[in-house]
Amino acid sequence: MDHLQSMRVFVRVADLGSFARAASAMDISNAVATRHVADLEGRLGTRLLNRTTRSLSLTESGQVYLERARQILDELEDVEQMVVARNHEPLGSLRIVAPVVFGLHNLAPVLQTYAQRYPKVVPDVTLVDRQVDLVEEGFDVGIVIARQVKSASVVTRRLTTGCMTVCATPAYLEKHGTPTRPEHLLEHPCLSLPSEYWGDERVFTGPEGEVRVRPQNVIIANNTEMLRQFALLGMGIAILPSYLIGNDTTRGQLVRLLGDYQLPQVEINVAYPSRRHLPAKVRTFIDHLVEHFSQTPNHQVSEQWIRDGRGRPAPATHAHYEHADEDAAPAPRSRPIDGELAPKLSKPSRTRGRMPVASPF
């Protein structure tokens, strides 16, 4: 029989001094109550109750067992109530993992408004640019790039999309010329992410349709903030997230290029290990993330999406772009586009929750 239930029956019988009253209070039959206590005595190898036709009394062993059993059952009830409360009231540590640059530029306003709404939750944020196993490393929530999600052991919800922008400094463009077509990138030194993130090709969509090019990389880095610093130093042309260079383009430090062409947007999701029995702290944070990013223009993270301290979008500012002199010598004619296909992106492991929740985006 159920050991804990037998313990509960024994405590109730001892408290009420009667099998019949205990059985009635617990909505079981008198015979079942008797069997529970008999099973408990058989397990312990000692008598807990002295029984007569008129009364019940505790044996010495029964008195000792009653005190400890009552303590155990009270502690068990406290634990169960605590767990139930945690699933209904958001509280405790919330472990979040996100890409370094995305986290630095986008998570603070989200966490500020979430902390104001749920003060009993303590966000514990880890920013990394490596593969992370949500389950093994004990993370509750991860920010992921949708195209990199291959594991069936995690659940994802869409947060937003990010735009990638080709850019360079005005000084660089004045010296080396301004590319007006994707093919012209072949004549310029480019600052790029490693091929395992996006491949070696850059795929543009423009007036003539799809254009694929393999830029000539002079520097490769796995962090877009570092690539931004290289771009600001005039070391070449970079392809960076729009939100990362918004202030730079507004101040004229970087110039947006190839305005007639678009790169594929990057879909950003929130991931968590399971949708079953989701703790309140995880459920509310996911909902808060989705709500926060749903307010972005066209659900995109862009250079104009800069929130104020209350989590609301700040007034949009119009970026000022410095253009190269139209009378300057035209850019050198580009070489033919390399027609080879880029190598396939490395696939993340499908085991458990391992996935590239962190990326340089």
Side-chain angles (χ1 to χ4, degrees), residues 96 102 106-107 110-111 114 141-143 158-159 270 284-294:
I96 305 162
F102 182 88
N106 294 283
L107 280 188
V110 186
L111 292 173
Y114 181 79
V141 177
I143 308 298
R158 180 179 178 275
L159 284 182
V270 57
T284 54
F285 182 67
I286 292 170
D287 291 341
H288 189 77
L289 275 174
V290 173
E291 177 188 358
H292 176 96
F293 285 105
S294 69

Side-chain angles (χ1 to χ4, degrees), residues 224-285:
T224 50
E225 177 60 41
M226 176 167 281
L227 293 176
R228 170 181 168 269
Q229 294 295 330
F230 291 144
L232 288 170
L233 291 172
M235 298 177 66
I237 293 177
I239 300 177
L240 298 171
S242 295
Y243 71 82
L244 183 60
I245 61 170
N247 290 334
D248 300 325
T249 56
T250 300
R251 292 192 292 260
Q253 293 177 300
L254 289 175
V255 178
R256 187 201 302 261
L257 304 172
L258 304 181
D260 292 334
Y261 297 85
Q262 291 184 340
L263 286 159
Q265 293 183 347
V266 180
E267 185 174 314
I268 303 168
N269 290 353
V270 57
Y272 44 101
S274 172
R275 68 170 77 247
R276 294 189 60 191
H277 307 302
L278 207 59
K281 62 182 180 181
V282 177
R283 183 177 63 253
T284 54
F285 182 67

Side-chain angles (χ1 to χ4, degrees), residues 23-42:
S24 176
M26 300 184 72
D27 196 23
I28 58 177
S29 68
N30 194 9
V32 170
T34 301
R35 284 202 302 272
H36 270 294
V37 175
D39 181 74
L40 196 58
E41 291 176 326

Side-chain angles (χ1 to χ4, degrees), residues 145-147 158 160-164 198 203 205 242 262-268 297-301 361:
I145 305 302
R147 63 188 289 181
R158 180 179 178 275
T160 185
T161 55
C163 299
M164 303 299 288
W198 311 113
V203 182
T205 302
S242 295
Q262 291 184 340
L263 286 159
Q265 293 183 347
V266 180
E267 185 174 314
I268 303 168
N298 300 321
H299 290 233
Q300 294 180 0
V301 179
F361 184 78

